[in-house]
Amino acid sequence: MSANGNGHFVSLKGVSKRFDNLEVLHGIDLDVDEHSVVCLIGASGSGKSTLLRCINLLEQVDAGTIVVDGQTITDGKVDVNRLRQKIGIVFQAYNLFPHMTVLQNLTLAPRKARGASRADALDRARALLHRIGLEEKADEFPDRLSGGQQQRVAIARALAMEPKLMLLDEITSALDPQLIGEVLELVRELAESGMTMIVATHEMSFAREVANKVCFLDAGVIGEEGTPKEILSAPREERTREFLARVLEGGRL
Amino acid sequence: MHGLVAFDWHVIWLRVFHPNGVFARALWVTIYVSIISQVAGVALGLIAALMRMSQFPPFRWLSAIYVWIFRGTPVLVQLFFIYTAFNLPIINLGIWTIPSEALTAIVALSINEGAYMREIIRAGIDSIDKGQMEAAKSLGMSYGQAMRRIILPQAARVIIPPLGNEFNNMMKTTSLAYTIGLYELFADAEQGYSQTFLSEYFIAVAFWYLVLTTAWTFVQAWIERRLAASERADDLTFREQLIAAWNPVNAWARGAR
Ligand SMILES: Nc1ncnc2c1ncn2[C@@H]1O[C@H](COP(=O)(O)OP(=O)(O)O)[C@@H](O)[C@H]1O
Ligand SMILES: [Mg+2]
């Protein structure tokens, strides 16, 4: 167990990523303990999405290592599909499959990628829909649902694979303000149930309440990290203070 | 040159309403060469489209060269090259024998069609939001599973209308195979003409091509209607029709009931 992440469930060491000549992440170190929630905050373009996408190998890092659940995933030897089955990701734009019903959205990957039986996949999908309070929408197509409902289905779709880690990428940013609450409530429940999560968000009150650790990402480096209290109430770095002031003006704190 | 009145209407009448067995065979040859060539062309086009999007550069080059050559040269030249360079066998399927000329035509037309289908299929795939592939991959599905279950079913809505037009062209293009000795619709007319020197044979054969292409127009319209709306249009709002149309399989099943 040399590359076991030193007991952390997710461990990034010196992760760098560039797109052509734009260095988006440089030398990111980040540890996430099992059953903990880490919130990534930072301005648009600071690299939050890229960081999350590196962790489920939607992007390949240029330098550094990432260990997830004791497995080094950045050495090119990992079974990408197997890895992604234990890492759920939810996107800002939901990305539900529009040609399938809600139920089909939830059962497709468990059946095809993990080989679950139809009956098992259906049972689990129904249980998840019950949990998110959308049982009656099982046979609807996604565009019959509100944005908040679609995003809850997207979370349920990721959970249907029984992931050990969830990555949430600004999942409320595309929602009308009155729909944000229902989605965050679901994430809060997930956190309480012990799900390990890395959450990119602009919802500072949510981060304060749910996060075990908050990381301020600034132009591809972690500018400051600490408990929500430390970062959100008493930031040490000038850049963090500036960022929070700007968010505050936006009326989100 | 004779005017309309001077036409031998009797010949046309016979060819249209009393087709003989030889004609029926020629019609059948045109139909099966068209269908097989189109289906194989779609398959080749799909392979070439996937190669075009591959991470492996030689695949992309191969795909580009394929399209460059087969869209950039006359199909007649391709047909003659394959006819003269390869001695393709007769395919004997028991009750159904495909003559060597038919196989040659099928091979040439499919390869040519694949180059056009590649562009159509690629445009269809490109029209699907990138987030769909990412969502599928993120759930642990393989590239193949994502293509088959997520991308292609959605791309089909974009691909099918131009595909229908390609098939209309295909049915007419099969007439070129007359030049390599395939006895299809046009060859049948040409033979009638060479024995009688009556241009009426070509009017009659034009009629039969029109029957084929018109029948296809109806089939195509039906398929597109199935894609765009559901059978129970009366009970459904426009929005609901659009939603139902998202799932071609569902729409199809609903129509079949
Ligand atoms: N696929 C890509 N190609 C080129 N540049 C990209 C790509 N993805 C992201 N970027 C750039 O990387 C930077 C960080 O983007 P992102 O990780 O999306 O930031 P955030 O999620 O914090 O807004 C931005 O400047 C963005 O334009
Ligand atoms: Mg982002």
Side-chain angles (χ1 to χ4, degrees):
Chain A
M1 297 275 275
S2 57
N4 66 356
N6 299 318
H8 301 294
F9 192 73
V10 180
S11 181
L12 284 74
K13 290 264 174 297
V15 167
S16 295
K17 172 69 189 174
R18 57 169 55 248
F19 293 110
D20 300 320
N21 42 19
L22 178 72
E23 179 140 69
V24 174
L25 300 175
H26 15 213
I28 299 273
D29 296 325
L30 176 68
D31 293 322
V32 182
D33 290 328
E34 195 159 15
H35 310 304
S36 78
V37 177
V38 170
C39 281
L40 299 174
I41 61 172
S44 174
S46 58
K48 302 181 295 296
S49 299
T50 307
L51 183 58
L52 294 178
R53 292 162 59 86
C54 285
I55 296 172
N56 80 345
L57 296 182
L58 278 179
E59 305 288 355
Q60 284 199 305
V61 301
D62 295 316
T65 56
I66 301 178
V67 175
V68 176
D69 197 13
Q71 186 183 22
T72 304
I73 66 166
T74 41
D75 59 9
K77 291 187 208 131
V78 72
D79 178 339
V80 179
N81 296 334
R82 288 283 291 278
L83 173 78
R84 286 177 183 150
Q85 287 174 32
K86 63 179 179 187
I87 304 178
I89 187 165
V90 182
F91 303 95
Q92 181 175 335
Y94 335 132
N95 297 350
L96 292 176
F97 306 133
H99 60 305
M100 294 180 175
T101 63
V102 165
L103 203 59
Q104 289 167 338
N105 265 276
L106 264 60
T107 55
L108 180 72
R111 290 183 60 199
K112 301 304 167 191
R114 223 184 34 193
S117 74
R118 193 178 139 78
D120 286 352
L122 279 172
D123 280 352
R124 183 156 174 78
R126 291 228 162 80
L128 281 165
L129 286 178
H130 177 70
R131 183 164 161 196
I132 64 170
L134 290 175
E135 275 167 307
E136 78 283 10
K137 303 289 187 190
D139 296 319
E140 299 281 10
F141 286 89
D143 51 1
R144 293 292 301 266
L145 309 184
S146 73
Q149 291 173 334
Q150 289 191 51
Q151 196 58 296
R152 280 148 65 200
V153 171
I155 293 170
R157 181 176 67 175
L159 292 176
M161 293 299 289
E162 303 182 313
K164 299 176 83 173
L165 169 68
M166 287 283 279
L167 309 173
L168 309 184
D169 191 1
E170 295 196 38
I171 62 171
T172 56
S173 294
L175 296 176
D176 293 339
Q178 74 272 19
L179 300 177
I180 291 175
E182 62 189 64
V183 173
L184 291 185
E185 182 51 39
L186 179 56
V187 179
R188 209 171 279 129
E189 283 173 30
L190 263 182
E192 276 160 19
S193 74
M195 177 63 76
T196 312
M197 292 192 277
I198 308 178
V199 183
T201 186
H202 287 298
E203 300 294 333
M204 298 305 160
S205 55
F206 169 81
R208 186 191 302 274
E209 203 184 319
V210 175
N212 301 93
K213 178 158 83 176
V214 174
C215 294
F216 169 58
L217 210 58
D218 182 25
V221 298
I222 294 189
E224 187 169 357
E225 69 172 88
T227 64
K229 228 188 195 137
E230 288 167 348
I231 304 300
L232 301 174
S233 305
R236 278 160 293 145
E237 302 290 333
E238 182 57 31
R239 298 276 297 169
T240 317
R241 252 175 261 140
E242 281 171 18
F243 169 72
L244 290 172
R246 253 180 291 133
V247 175
L248 194 61
E249 271 170 38
R252 292 256 185 134
L253 197 65
Chain B
M1 281 282 138
H2 41 202
L4 209 58
V5 251
F7 273 168
D8 187 341
W9 289 99
H10 185 61
V11 167
I12 299 175
W13 177 267
L14 278 181
R15 301 292 285 185
V16 169
F17 293 104
H18 301 279
N20 58 21
V22 179
F23 166 84
R25 270 209 59 78
L27 177 65
W28 165 236
V29 168
T30 292
I31 291 172
Y32 81 69
V33 168
S34 305
I35 292 175
I36 297 175
S37 302
Q38 188 64 48
V39 170
V42 170
L44 284 173
L46 179 60
I47 293 167
L50 294 176
M51 284 172 67
R52 172 68 184 69
M53 298 182 299
S54 161
Q55 306 286 326
F56 184 57
F59 278 172
R60 295 204 297 271
W61 301 332
L62 220 61
S63 180
I65 291 169
Y66 169 53
V67 170
W68 178 58
I69 292 176
F70 287 92
R71 290 207 323 180
T73 59
V75 64
L76 191 57
V77 173
Q78 297 161 20
L79 186 65
F80 263 75
F81 174 74
I82 290 170
Y83 176 57
T84 53
F86 305 98
N87 200 355
L88 295 179
I90 298 166
I91 306 278
N92 197 334
L93 302 171
I95 48 163
W96 182 22
T97 305
I98 301 179
S100 170
E101 298 81 29
L103 186 60
T104 304
I106 287 168
V107 168
L109 293 174
S110 336
I111 295 175
N112 181 263
E113 180 59 19
Y116 288 89
M117 283 310 303
R118 185 200 83 157
E119 291 305 287
I120 291 170
I121 291 171
R122 185 159 75 100
I125 292 174
D126 278 353
S127 73
I128 306 305
D129 183 79
K130 272 205 344 271
Q132 291 290 307
M133 177 56 100
E134 293 194 337
K137 281 187 174 174
S138 299
L139 288 163
M141 290 165 76
S142 65
Y143 177 80
Q145 287 171 333
M147 265 294 158
R148 172 147 169 256
R149 307 273 171 186
I150 306 301
I151 308 300
L152 291 176
Q154 295 181 62
R157 294 164 50 79
V158 179
I159 292 171
I160 281 175
L163 167 60
N165 297 338
E166 287 295 305
F167 185 59
N168 176 301
N169 270 329
M170 179 63 82
M171 287 188 289
K172 295 175 292 181
T173 308
T174 53
S175 60
L176 291 179
Y178 140 81
T179 57
I180 61 165
L182 179 65
Y183 201 86
E184 44 65 69
L185 269 186
F186 181 76
D188 185 60
E190 210 284 329
Q191 190 171 66
Y193 171 78
S194 64
Q195 286 162 6
T196 60
F197 294 105
L198 289 173
S199 304
E200 285 76 355
Y201 281 96
F202 297 119
I203 295 187
V205 79
F207 167 83
W208 283 108
Y209 280 112
L210 272 175
V211 168
L212 290 180
T213 51
T214 307
W216 173 245
T217 303
F218 284 113
V219 173
Q220 190 185 344
W222 181 80
I223 292 172
E224 285 175 24
R225 225 176 22 250
R226 282 294 161 285
L227 282 172
S230 90
E231 188 71 355
R232 302 173 306 153
D234 296 345
D235 321 345
L236 295 176
T237 64
F238 180 63
R239 188 180 149 71
E240 285 170 326
Q241 289 177 38
L242 283 180
I243 291 150
W246 268 116
N247 192 330
V249 180
N250 285 0
W252 195 289
R254 210 175 289 123
R257 240 182 258 143

